[in-house]
Amino acid sequence: MLQFLLLAVRNLASHRRRTLMLGGAMAGVTALLLFLLGLSNGVQSTILQSATTLMSGHVNVAGFYKVTRGQSSAVVTHYPQLLEIIRREVPELLSVSQRGRGIAKAISDTHGMQIALNGLDIEAEPVFRQVIRLAEGNLDDLAHPGSILLFESQAKKLEVKTGDMLTLSGMTVRGITNTQDVRVVAIARDIGLLSSITVFVPNATLRALYQLHDDATGALLLYLRHLDDAPAVQQRLRQVLASAHYELIEEEQQPYWQKLELVTQDDWTGQRLDVTTWKDEIAFVNWTSGMLNLLSFALMFVLIVTIAVGLMNTLWIAIRERTQEVGTLRAIGMQRSRVVLMFALEALVLSVMSAGAGAVLGTILCAILNALQVPVPHAVQLFLMGDRLYLRVDAEAALFSITLISTCTTAIALIPSFLAARLKPVTAMHHAG
């Protein structure tokens, strides 16, 4: 085998021009493939980080409270008791954030808009600071009651800046309209669909608006040590809470604000809980990742077909040029399987070296683009869930790219290799040209 490998290397070296052209094409395809994988992984990573910071944990224990059959609110009552059960039954738990939830109208001096109101304790959420990129203001001021954080598109629509006042108007759990004046203390850069209607206020402000007790919240956001544990933890909590005589609503892959209308139509009163994962809460943007993956696979297919055609043509030329060599080898006793092995090893050596170089080139390109923090147009932000292009390339993606290109090109090389092996020695030795 070592002799055949050395022979393959020598044959490639003796045809430098053809080797460099074909190897360069393979390297380029591998680099482009790795770029596509990095873009797809980067979008998924950005969506996950944004979603699990702004509106969802890995697992969420939320709820709906109905005083009357036709009026519902996104409220969990007596949440400290619920938190005790969660800490006892979920050893995978890393941390918990409690967030207020509600639908309200934000009114400025000139405009108004419907918003999804989120209450939080900014001092207890360090990850929140890592995701939010401020355009103006100070996040520390969000710890003061009567403050609010907007995103740039919302501030533009309401025609406000930091220091301006807004009035929040919302419906309490008893169906009474209440208002609360708040001051804009921070304006954050947009991060796609998730920031189009979402605003943040201190939990104390949200409770004052909806006239809630201190032991009421909107959702408990659970962050686990391993994200893959989320589905199992969700099902376990549903069983545990049902055994503890909590009533639960049926599972639906929808964010809470879409469920709110459905719950209002249901014929029940009191408290019911909803246990969801992060995928449920961002189901309305999951299509972005799916479409990008579909596009990536389509481009991968086109790239592989392109390189396959080029490889086939090149090998046909190589075999034609080496017909006499093949005939001589067959005449001195080389078996057909060894001829196939010789050409297949050439393709394998070339593809592995080229794909490896392409993976290095693609990784460097992705690292440079990440370092440049390339801004993306506002329309694209709606799909990327961020204002900067982010590419995530890991060892798994690089290994996948190298393996895919090497496997496909080597498999394709078997076709002309088998045809070369079938040449009759006498005919091959007398071949000219």
Side-chain angles (χ1 to χ4, degrees), residues 136-317:
E136 57 180 283
N138 190 344
L139 273 181
D140 292 332
D141 293 337
L142 200 60
H144 304 148
S147 57
I148 188 171
L149 178 146
L150 300 176
F151 289 91
E152 284 182 313
S153 59
Q154 300 164 350
K156 183 178 180 180
K157 184 173 182 179
L158 293 170
E159 296 183 353
V160 295
K161 58 184 184 298
T162 52
D164 291 344
M165 297 297 295
L166 291 174
T167 298
L168 300 179
S169 176
M171 196 80 68
T172 68
V173 293
R174 298 190 178 278
I176 301 173
T177 301
N178 193 28
T179 61
Q180 185 78 16
D181 291 332
V182 293
R183 184 180 299 277
V184 179
V185 297
I187 298 176
R189 300 193 183 279
D190 291 335
I191 49 176
L193 288 172
L194 297 181
S195 63
S196 59
I197 60 172
T198 303
V199 303
F200 292 90
V201 298
N203 270 319
T205 301
L206 185 139
R207 291 193 179 103
L209 175 64
Y210 294 113
Q211 297 181 351
L212 300 174
H213 295 295
D214 290 342
D215 64 351
T217 189
L220 296 174
L221 278 51
L222 315 184
Y223 295 95
L224 311 177
R225 292 182 175 85
H226 302 289
L227 181 62
D228 294 338
D229 293 334
V233 171
Q234 177 199 24
Q235 295 304 317
R236 187 194 316 152
L237 278 176
R238 289 187 68 88
Q239 295 175 3
V240 169
L241 294 176
S243 300
H245 306 294
Y246 284 96
E247 293 190 67
L248 283 78
I249 67 172
E250 296 182 1
E251 293 185 59
E252 292 284 349
Q253 278 201 331
Q254 292 179 332
Y256 81 92
W257 44 269
Q258 288 184 350
K259 295 178 181 177
L260 195 59
E261 183 178 353
L262 299 176
V263 170
T264 303
Q265 299 172 2
D266 291 341
D267 188 18
W268 55 268
T269 57
Q271 174 79 76
R272 290 196 179 183
L273 300 181
D274 185 25
V275 185
T276 63
T277 66
W278 66 273
K279 288 185 178 181
D280 301 326
E281 296 294 333
I282 64 167
F284 67 104
V285 296
N286 275 342
W287 63 271
T288 301
S289 178
M291 288 296 294
L292 185 59
N293 287 336
L294 183 61
L295 179 61
S296 297
F297 281 120
L299 291 176
M300 287 181 202
F301 178 77
V302 173
L303 291 174
I304 291 173
V305 170
T306 303
I307 197 67
V309 173
L311 179 63
M312 285 282 288
N313 290 334
T314 304
L315 288 177
W316 275 115
I317 296 173

Side-chain angles (χ1 to χ4, degrees), residues 379-412:
V380 180
Q381 292 178 23
L382 296 179
F383 306 102
L384 294 186
M385 301 299 138
D387 62 346
R388 294 291 186 273
L389 181 65
Y390 173 64
L391 304 165
R392 185 170 69 86
V393 176
D394 50 23
E396 184 179 350
L399 183 60
F400 173 79
S401 300
I402 295 172
T403 302
L404 180 63
I405 296 298
S406 301
T407 301
C408 291
T409 51
T410 303
I412 292 165

Side-chain angles (χ1 to χ4, degrees), residues 95-159:
S95 63
V96 181
S97 296
Q98 62 98 359
R99 296 274 185 90
R101 286 177 169 179
I103 304 297
K105 185 173 184 178
I107 306 169
S108 67
D109 292 338
T110 56
H111 295 85
M113 63 180 295
Q114 288 292 122
I115 56 172
L117 201 59
N118 289 267
L120 82 168
D121 295 324
I122 188 64
E123 295 177 351
E125 303 220 21
V127 180
F128 186 85
R129 298 173 180 270
Q130 300 173 12
V131 175
I132 294 296
R133 300 177 67 252
L134 287 183
E136 57 180 283
N138 190 344
L139 273 181
D140 292 332
D141 293 337
L142 200 60
H144 304 148
S147 57
I148 188 171
L149 178 146
L150 300 176
F151 289 91
E152 284 182 313
S153 59
Q154 300 164 350
K156 183 178 180 180
K157 184 173 182 179
L158 293 170
E159 296 183 353

Side-chain angles (χ1 to χ4, degrees), residues 331-353:
I332 62 176
M334 180 178 281
Q335 299 176 352
R336 289 180 176 178
S337 60
R338 296 301 180 90
V339 175
V340 173
L341 179 62
M342 180 179 67
F343 283 103
L345 276 178
E346 285 188 31
L348 178 62
V349 171
L350 177 60
S351 61
V352 170
M353 294 177 61

